């Protein structure tokens, strides 16, 4: 069966993990603290036939290694790892299972789900305490050796956008490009499509600075989804932390990814990756054995302290990656550096980031992961964004990440939604609008640490937030039981699309209110792709399994209101970029903040509880006198249905000019020079500046 005589294997080195080509051959190195033997399996070019099995001859510092002279980039491989099959003590070695190298830079083929992927006999009553002898290799992707030097980056334009100027744009490689007729058909749904001039120029035209991509690390489609005719669309189920998801490969394969990154850099836009280091696709004790579980289960995963057969499940996905183990931590750091240095990525958003700060005793912002990142000369300089929660004990950590990090601020999302729904949350709204200093003004953290968002991939789109009272997830095949029930949404009189002009007008105005609030708020705004023109998911608030028209962005045959909203969004982003007053860099910049009530007087403590119509003026005397630079603005907010006469306060002779409004009735350019009432339309914002 094997032609082992065609291949020589030498000792090699343990210094670099993974498969590394040095110009003359390939060095293989694999960490496993508890294995007894490791076989390197080589495959022919179609990945179907195993052509050699070579024992890794050396074991140094818990790393198995060997060097194969003459082996070239493009070679396909996997591992078989021998050791105890003892689930009760956390060991699940089974050499009948072909395992993916955790450091593989590229995977060839897909998982064809089969009983052979499970290390135990699936139908046996003793479940994972049994041992299965079926060979999983025919049904498993293969790792591909890559040439690290085959791509000439010529990436001279890596942007370095200050946090205070950053506008994030969350999107999905396939979802964003699949239906875009401006992209050649063969490139839609691929990295090349995402990097196509039509895509890049559009994103550039909005004024956003940083594209944040949903997971592009290699992930499989879960069997239970495939059984229902669905797929894992979002990709939060990683199996390869170094390999780009091959499902988005276009004609140029892995180079298409690099070309995409370079195209954004040439346009002055950063690329940020949403990454999932908190769990893997191997699930719980009954999940498949695909990689880590068969290499060294006890090291890679957190198991229950007194029952190592079972996994700690702080992620809700069956397992939790053991970041307390130095080699596992090293793998995550190596992966991040690989994406930063070899793929030129500019930053990362860490899914369920709280988990990464967990030590055996709980969340610790001085835990190994945070320490490792912050002292790293490469990674500490990138944009680092945490999702500050998980489902473990003490998992809610908004504001709890260490200095240097930004965080998704869901308190911002919830408060702003409630405010525009008419709930009296004035004091909270005021704090969120001004950068959430109650959360972030600690330890020298800056206003930008708050990543402000109204919507994200998870939940309603902006259009659906103002169009549905309830979620409509029937297509997901879970009887509408999945997804959040607490959406703080409102349909204004009809569930879903309507021909009622009055309802549609209110919805459009509310979209403008949400977007205006977002871009007037201090902190780092994040816009969900498509919200700028009112994209809908037809009330589905959990599109994780919808690789379909529900989740794909529709570009054609949009109503007139879409273009108007898009243009409005562009103007907001442009205004924010031009005016430092609207994007504070520091809590100590001397900004004067005054809150007013509708009577034109200063907001008194008791008035915060009485009503939610608010005015706020922001003044900065330190800004230079430049043409077009604002030193003072007055913003009025009315979340209520009815109009409110708002007495415009006057402290100088200059008066105020209406620069921006979400109202359907007020007119830009209006100048008010003396104390007089301004009719603030129901559910609207007005922004005045000194003329």
């Amino acid at each position: 069966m094997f032609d082992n005589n065609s291949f020589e294997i030498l000792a090699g080195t343990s210094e670099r993990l993974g498969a590394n080509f040095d110009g003359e051959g390939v060095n293989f190195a694999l960490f496993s603290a508890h294995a007894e033997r490791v076989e390197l399996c080589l495959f022919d070019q179609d990945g179907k036939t195993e052509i050699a099995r070579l024992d890794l001859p050396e074991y140094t510092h818990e790393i198995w290694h060997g060097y194969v002279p003459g082996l070239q980039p493009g070679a396909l491989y996997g591992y078989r790892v021998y050791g105890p099959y003892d689930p009760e003590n956390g060991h699940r070695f089974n050499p009948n299972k072909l395992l993916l190298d955790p450091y593989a830079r590229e995977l060839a083929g897909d998982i064809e789900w089969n009983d052979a992927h499970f290390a135990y006999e699936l139908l046996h009553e003793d479940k994972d305490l049994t041992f299965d002898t079926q060979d999983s290799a025919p049904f498993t992707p293969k790792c591909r050796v890559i040439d690290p030097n085959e791509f000439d980056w010529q990436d001279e334009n890596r942007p370095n956008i200050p946090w205070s100027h950053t506008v994030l744009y969350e999107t999905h490689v396939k979802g964003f490009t699949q239906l875009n007729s401006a992209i050649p058909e063969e490139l839609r749904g691929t990295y090349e499509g995402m990097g196509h001039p039509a895509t890049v120029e559009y994103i550039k035209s909005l004024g956003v600075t940083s594209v944040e991509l949903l997971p592009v690390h290699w992930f499989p489609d879960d069997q239970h989804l495939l059984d229902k005719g669905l797929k894992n669309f979002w990709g939060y189920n990683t199996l390869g932390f170094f390999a780009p998801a091959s499902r988005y490969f276009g004609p140029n394969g892995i180079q298409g990814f690099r070309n995409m990154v370079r195209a954004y850099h040439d346009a002055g836009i950063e690329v940020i990756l949403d990454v999932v280091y908190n769990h893997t696709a191997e699930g719980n004790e009954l999940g498949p054995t695909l990689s880590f579980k068969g290499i060294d289960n006890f090291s890679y995963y957190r198991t229950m302290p007194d029952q190592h057969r079972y996994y700690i499940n702080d992620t809700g996905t069956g397992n939790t990656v053991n970041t307390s183990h130095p080699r596992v931590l090293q793998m995550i750091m190596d992966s991040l550096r690989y994406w930063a240095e070899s793929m030129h990525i500019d930053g990362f958003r860490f899914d369920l980031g709280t988990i990464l700060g967990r030590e055996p005793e709980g969340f610790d912002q001085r835990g190994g992961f945070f320490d490792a990142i912050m002292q790293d000369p490469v990674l500490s300089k990138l944009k680092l964004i945490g999702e500050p929660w998980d489902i473990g004990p003490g998992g809610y950590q908004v504001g709890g990440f260490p200095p240097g990090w930004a965080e998704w601020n869901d308190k911002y999302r919830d408060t702003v939604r409630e405010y525009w729904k008419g709930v009296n949350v004035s004091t909270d709204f005021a704090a969120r609008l001004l950068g959430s200093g109650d959360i972030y003004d600690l330890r020298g953290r800056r206003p930008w640490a708050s990543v402000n968002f109204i919507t994200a991939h998870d939940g309603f789109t902006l259009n659906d937030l103002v169009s549905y009272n309830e979620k409509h997830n029937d297509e997901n095949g879970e009887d509408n039981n999945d997804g959040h029930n607490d959406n703080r949404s409102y349909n204004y009189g009809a569930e879903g699309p309507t021909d009622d002009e009055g309802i549609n007008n209110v919805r459009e105005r509310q979209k403008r209110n949400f977007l205006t609030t977002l871009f007037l708020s201090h902190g780092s705004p994040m816009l969900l792709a498509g919200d700028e023109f009112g994209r809908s998911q037809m009330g589905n608030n959990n599109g994780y399994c919808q690789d379909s028209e529900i989740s794909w962005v529709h570009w054609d045959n949009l109503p007139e209101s879409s273009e108007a909203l898009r243009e409005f969004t562009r103007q907001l982003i442009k205004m924010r970029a031009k005016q430092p007053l609207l994007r504070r860099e520091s809590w100590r910049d001397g900004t004067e903040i005054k809150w007013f009530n509708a009577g034109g007087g200063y907001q008194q403590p008791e008035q915060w509880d009485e009503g939610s119509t608010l005015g706020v003026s922001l003044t900065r005397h330190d800004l230079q006198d430049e043409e077009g630079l604002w030193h003072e603005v007055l913003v009025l907010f009315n979340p209520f249905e009815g109009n409110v006469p708002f007495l415009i306060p006057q402290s100088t002779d200059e008066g105020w000019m209406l620069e921006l409004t979400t109202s359907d009735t007020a007119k830009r350019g209006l100048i008010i020079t003396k104390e007089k009432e301004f009719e603030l339309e129901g559910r609207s914002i007005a922004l005045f500046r000194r003329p």
Side-chain angles (χ1 to χ4, degrees):
M1 179 182 175
F2 306 126
D3 183 14
N4 286 353
N5 296 329
S6 303
F7 298 94
E8 183 185 9
I9 188 159
L10 309 174
T13 168
S14 64
E15 284 171 14
R16 272 189 78 195
L17 287 153
N20 292 293
F21 176 64
D22 63 2
E24 294 177 3
V26 179
N27 191 83
F28 294 89
L30 179 75
F31 158 72
S32 178
H34 298 95
E36 293 163 359
R37 178 180 156 215
V38 175
E39 285 178 334
L40 168 69
C41 305
L42 300 177
F43 291 82
D44 64 358
Q45 278 309 292
D46 66 5
K48 296 293 184 211
T49 307
E50 195 171 339
I51 54 175
R53 277 192 198 182
L54 306 165
D55 274 270
L56 292 183
E58 291 288 344
Y59 185 54
T60 309
H61 306 316
E62 299 184 333
I63 291 169
W64 298 84
H65 54 96
Y67 179 84
V68 182
L71 200 64
Q72 294 297 306
L76 299 181
Y77 72 99
Y79 290 112
R80 298 179 189 275
V81 182
Y82 295 76
Y85 187 81
D86 182 8
E88 304 263 18
N89 287 306
H91 299 307
R92 298 178 176 273
F93 295 99
N94 185 336
N96 301 296
K97 312 303 162 188
L98 187 79
L99 304 173
L100 299 176
D101 179 359
Y103 278 70
R105 276 35 172 210
E106 188 179 343
L107 298 184
D110 274 314
I111 292 179
E112 295 171 39
W113 286 112
N114 189 279
D115 290 0
H117 283 121
F118 296 84
Y120 63 97
E121 293 175 29
L122 261 180
L123 300 175
H124 198 286
E125 62 184 18
D126 291 338
K127 297 187 175 167
D128 60 311
L129 298 178
T130 61
F131 187 80
D132 181 80
T133 57
Q134 299 173 85
D135 182 11
S136 68
F139 317 104
T140 300
K142 310 300 181 295
C143 310
R144 180 178 276 131
V145 177
I146 67 157
D147 180 352
N149 302 316
E150 69 181 327
F151 190 70
D152 179 13
W153 265 104
Q154 298 171 339
D155 189 2
E156 306 301 322
N157 298 318
R158 290 189 71 167
N160 186 16
I161 295 167
W163 260 115
S164 56
H165 289 69
T166 299
V167 176
L168 298 155
Y169 190 69
E170 191 196 37
T171 189
H172 184 287
V173 168
K174 183 173 182 182
F176 198 67
T177 60
Q178 186 67 29
L179 298 176
N180 189 347
S181 53
I183 299 171
E185 204 163 337
E186 68 276 13
L187 301 184
R188 293 177 200 167
T190 68
Y191 299 121
E192 283 103 319
M194 196 67 210
H196 187 269
T199 313
V200 177
E201 283 162 18
Y202 172 78
I203 290 174
K204 178 88 173 164
S205 79
L206 294 175
V208 300
T209 67
S210 312
V211 169
E212 184 177 305
L213 297 175
L214 260 66
V216 296
H217 289 176
W218 203 97
F219 64 95
D221 287 309
D222 314 75
Q223 181 69 62
H224 71 272
L225 292 177
L226 294 172
D227 291 345
K228 290 191 259 187
L230 301 168
K231 286 195 167 171
N232 185 336
F233 179 64
W234 289 349
Y236 291 95
N237 206 21
T238 310
L239 192 55
F241 294 117
F242 293 77
S246 45
R247 62 185 66 207
Y248 307 135
F249 280 174
N252 294 318
I254 197 168
Q255 301 306 353
F257 183 92
R258 294 183 170 120
N259 288 331
M260 169 189 79
V261 173
R262 189 164 63 190
Y264 281 100
H265 286 178
D266 288 347
I269 297 170
E270 297 175 317
V271 181
I272 291 174
L273 297 188
D274 194 336
V275 289
V276 189
Y277 293 105
N278 57 73
H279 74 281
T280 78
E282 291 187 304
N284 63 12
E285 74 278 4
L286 300 179
T289 295
L290 305 165
S291 178
F292 317 92
K293 195 180 273 188
I295 294 169
D296 190 350
N297 182 69
F298 193 66
S299 296
Y300 276 107
Y301 294 116
R302 294 192 191 275
T303 56
M304 297 299 278
D306 47 354
Q307 289 184 295
H308 296 303
R309 178 183 173 188
Y310 302 107
Y311 298 84
I312 291 173
N313 184 18
D314 290 334
T315 60
T317 55
N319 63 56
T320 306
V321 171
N322 181 16
T323 48
S324 303
H325 192 293
R327 288 292 186 197
V328 179
L329 183 60
Q330 180 191 351
M331 174 186 76
I332 295 172
M333 295 296 136
D334 287 348
S335 162
L336 290 166
R337 270 192 300 271
Y338 174 73
W339 288 99
E341 295 181 319
S342 293
M343 298 301 214
H344 290 207
I345 291 302
D346 305 292
F348 302 94
R349 179 262 184 190
F350 292 84
D351 180 64
L352 299 186
T354 298
I355 283 188
L356 301 170
R358 278 195 184 276
E359 297 296 342
E361 66 282 359
F363 178 82
D364 179 4
Q365 56 172 272
R366 300 263 39 102
F369 170 77
F370 290 130
D371 286 352
I373 282 249
M374 292 325 293
Q375 62 76 45
D376 188 285
V378 174
L379 301 176
S380 59
K381 293 182 176 66
L382 303 181
K383 287 200 165 72
L384 303 168
I385 306 169
E387 182 184 31
W389 56 88
D390 65 16
I391 66 166
Y396 193 69
Q397 289 292 335
V398 175
F401 275 51
W405 283 73
E407 299 170 19
W408 272 29
N409 184 355
D410 66 334
K411 289 185 177 177
Y412 178 93
R413 172 197 66 201
D414 295 347
T415 299
V416 172
R417 287 184 178 194
E418 284 182 342
Y419 180 81
W420 286 111
K421 199 176 169 181
V423 181
N424 190 359
V425 287
S426 306
T427 49
D428 255 6
F429 179 74
R432 302 303 145 246
L433 189 76
L434 295 178
S436 298
D438 55 328
I439 303 174
Y440 295 107
D441 187 8
L442 296 161
R443 305 172 70 189
R445 296 181 81 182
R446 300 292 182 115
W448 54 255
S450 177
V451 173
N452 299 331
F453 64 106
I454 311 289
T455 58
H457 66 273
D458 187 1
F460 279 144
T461 64
L462 180 62
N463 177 82
D464 294 359
L465 185 65
V466 299
S467 305
Y468 294 91
N469 285 346
E470 309 293 335
K471 64 187 186 187
H472 296 266
N473 297 355
D474 301 310
E475 300 284 334
N476 295 359
E478 295 182 46
D479 297 327
N480 205 33
N481 288 318
D482 62 305
H484 291 288
N485 293 314
D486 180 19
N487 295 292
R488 303 168 201 210
S489 61
Y490 190 45
N491 68 19
Y492 301 95
E495 189 73 354
T498 177
D499 294 329
D500 185 305
E501 195 175 338
I503 292 175
N504 284 332
N505 284 343
V506 173
R507 287 177 179 177
E508 289 305 313
R509 196 158 66 251
Q510 285 292 58
K511 289 178 205 173
R512 294 196 294 274
N513 287 332
F514 278 121
L515 289 165
T516 304
T517 306
L518 179 66
F519 289 108
L520 288 182
S521 297
H522 294 144
S524 304
M526 182 179 82
L527 180 65
L528 174 65
D531 275 357
E532 69 273 16
F533 59 84
R535 178 176 89 85
S536 173
Q537 290 186 168
M538 308 311 289
N540 191 318
N541 76 350
N542 189 28
Y544 79 102
C545 56
Q546 290 298 334
D547 188 0
S548 68
E549 295 215 4
I550 290 174
S551 293
W552 301 340
V553 176
H554 291 253
W555 296 95
D556 299 328
N557 306 319
L558 299 174
E560 277 179 37
S561 59
S562 291
E563 190 46 51
L565 190 63
R566 184 160 27 212
E567 193 47 44
F568 183 81
T569 309
R570 282 191 177 119
Q571 292 307 318
L572 282 171
I573 295 174
K574 193 173 174 182
M575 179 177 80
R576 187 182 186 278
K578 277 175 67 175
Q579 303 300 340
L581 187 60
L582 304 178
R583 45 174 175 79
R584 298 175 76 180
E585 202 164 315
S586 162
W587 303 107
R588 314 282 179 265
D589 58 8
T591 301
E592 284 179 23
I593 301 161
K594 295 173 186 159
W595 288 96
F596 296 95
N597 55 49
Y602 291 131
Q603 182 84 338
Q604 300 304 313
E606 67 275 8
Q607 290 172 314
W608 285 103
D609 300 324
E610 289 168 7
S612 299
T613 302
L614 298 169
V616 62
S617 75
L618 303 174
T619 311
R620 274 184 69 178
H621 299 293
D622 63 311
L623 293 173
Q624 291 176 343
D625 279 326
E626 280 179 37
E627 180 92 22
L629 211 61
W630 304 344
H631 292 236
E632 191 169 6
V633 294
L634 173 69
V635 191
L636 311 181
F637 300 91
N638 178 14
F640 296 114
E641 193 174 348
N643 293 8
V644 172
F646 206 110
L647 189 68
I648 302 292
Q650 297 291 350
S651 55
T652 69
D653 297 335
E654 292 174 275
W656 293 102
M657 179 185 212
L658 183 59
E659 178 67 32
L660 177 135
T661 175
T662 61
S663 163
D664 298 312
T665 54
K667 294 289 179 275
R668 278 184 66 187
L670 169 76
I671 293 181
I672 300 175
T673 53
K674 55 181 184 290
E675 276 203 358
K676 75 179 255 190
E677 284 186 342
F678 171 78
E679 196 69 16
L680 186 59
E681 189 184 2
R683 298 191 179 112
S684 79
I685 300 174
L687 180 147
F688 293 87
R689 64 172 176 89
R690 293 294 187 195

